[in-house]
Amino acid sequence: MKMLIRGGRVIDPSRGLDKILDIFVKGGKIKDIAANIAMTDPSCTVIDATGKIVAPGLLDIHVHLREPGHEYKETILSGCEAAVAGGFTSIASMANTNPANDNHSVTEFIIRKAEAAGIANVFPVAALSIGLEGKLMTEFADLKEAGAAALSDDGKPVKSASFMRKALEYAASLDLPVISHCEDTTLSAGGQINEGIVSTALGLQGIPSAAEEIMVARDIALAEYCRAPVHIAHVSAA
């Protein structure tokens, strides 16, 4: 199979590309990227990409596939279909399913279902704590062996600084990224929108930006102390 994608804006940061170019594909592999590629082969499919962006498959590192346990919201198959429809060929699924992805079998289940779907790469993000409760640490090494790509209790903050310190140290020894949901729930509890003029005018309980910032500051301090990286998820405050 031959295909020529003609006249698109080719963007590839890994190669420093941002130009109007043609892409020639043969046998499912890119053979040439250049301006005005000559093509006389009538069996070659030509796609006019004028006015469109042509880029490598995007990676979404924070999705909620909801399977197992909440299939009425989303399945691994439907999530993968939505991803590729939007140009995302790889996605990282969060652990707050039911049961939570806090053990080897759930991680393997997600990978098997993704392989059966066969349309996008799925990287399971396993839980930091059993049941996402922030009390007992999961078996990081076992989860990595099962195929976990990162660790997070996303949806719930890790309230204990001591727990987060130990998690960062253990995860770093296994080269597993930790993704943190930064929220001080004693400040955000009951909140409906960002705290400010609008929340006051509408009579709605606001959530102060400090609820996020306090936990971000804590995790940055712990990351520095432990010499271990931390990824701060869904940042909303400047």
Side-chain angles (χ1 to χ4, degrees):
M1 176 183 172
K2 298 177 182 178
M3 179 170 59
L4 181 64
I5 304 172
R6 190 179 291 285
R9 180 183 173 189
V10 178
I11 300 176
D12 184 356
S14 71
R15 302 177 61 180
L17 281 179
D18 188 354
K19 296 180 180 179
I20 304 299
L21 297 168
D22 297 345
I23 299 177
F24 177 57
V25 180
K26 182 179 179 181
K29 294 185 178 181
I30 294 174
K31 295 297 184 180
D32 193 16
I33 301 177
N36 302 314
I37 296 175
M39 180 53 59
T40 58
D41 186 346
S43 68
C44 179
T45 300
V46 179
I47 297 175
D48 183 6
T50 303
K52 295 180 172 60
I53 291 174
V54 184
L58 302 176
L59 167 63
D60 190 335
I61 65 168
H62 194 123
V63 305
H64 296 274
L65 295 180
R66 298 305 185 193
E67 186 179 6
H70 300 288
E71 289 83 357
Y72 67 96
K73 296 180 181 179
E74 183 81 275
T75 65
I76 291 170
L77 174 59
S78 69
C80 288
E81 289 174 336
V84 297
F88 291 83
T89 55
S90 298
I91 52 180
S93 59
M94 293 296 116
N96 54 346
T97 50
N98 183 25
N101 183 14
D102 60 6
N103 63 79
H104 196 108
S105 62
V106 177
T107 302
E108 285 190 333
F109 168 83
I110 293 168
I111 291 173
R112 286 198 308 272
K113 294 285 283 189
E115 289 175 346
I119 53 177
N121 302 310
V122 175
F123 299 100
V125 176
L128 281 168
S129 67
I130 295 174
L132 308 177
E133 295 179 348
K135 297 176 181 178
L136 298 175
M137 198 176 300
T138 55
E139 294 288 349
F140 292 4
D142 190 46
L143 288 165
K144 181 175 182 178
E145 182 182 344
L151 300 161
S152 179
D153 275 1
D154 181 60
K156 294 183 178 180
V158 175
K159 296 180 180 181
S160 167
S162 174
F163 184 99
M164 180 58 86
R165 174 195 174 177
K166 293 172 184 175
L168 285 170
E169 291 174 337
Y170 185 16
S173 72
L174 297 167
D175 197 27
L176 276 172
V178 170
I179 301 170
S180 179
H181 174 112
C182 287
E183 178 186 1
D184 184 329
T185 55
T186 63
L187 289 172
S188 66
Q192 295 165 302
I193 63 173
N194 290 334
E195 186 175 87
I197 294 174
V198 175
S199 65
T200 302
L202 294 175
L204 297 174
Q205 184 170 333
I207 302 172
S209 59
E212 178 179 288
E213 294 162 350
I214 287 170
M215 295 293 270
V216 170
R218 183 202 73 176
D219 286 352
I220 289 174
L222 288 172
E224 181 180 34
Y225 184 79
C226 299
R227 299 178 182 272
V230 63
H231 174 79
I232 308 300
H234 41 60
V235 172
S236 66

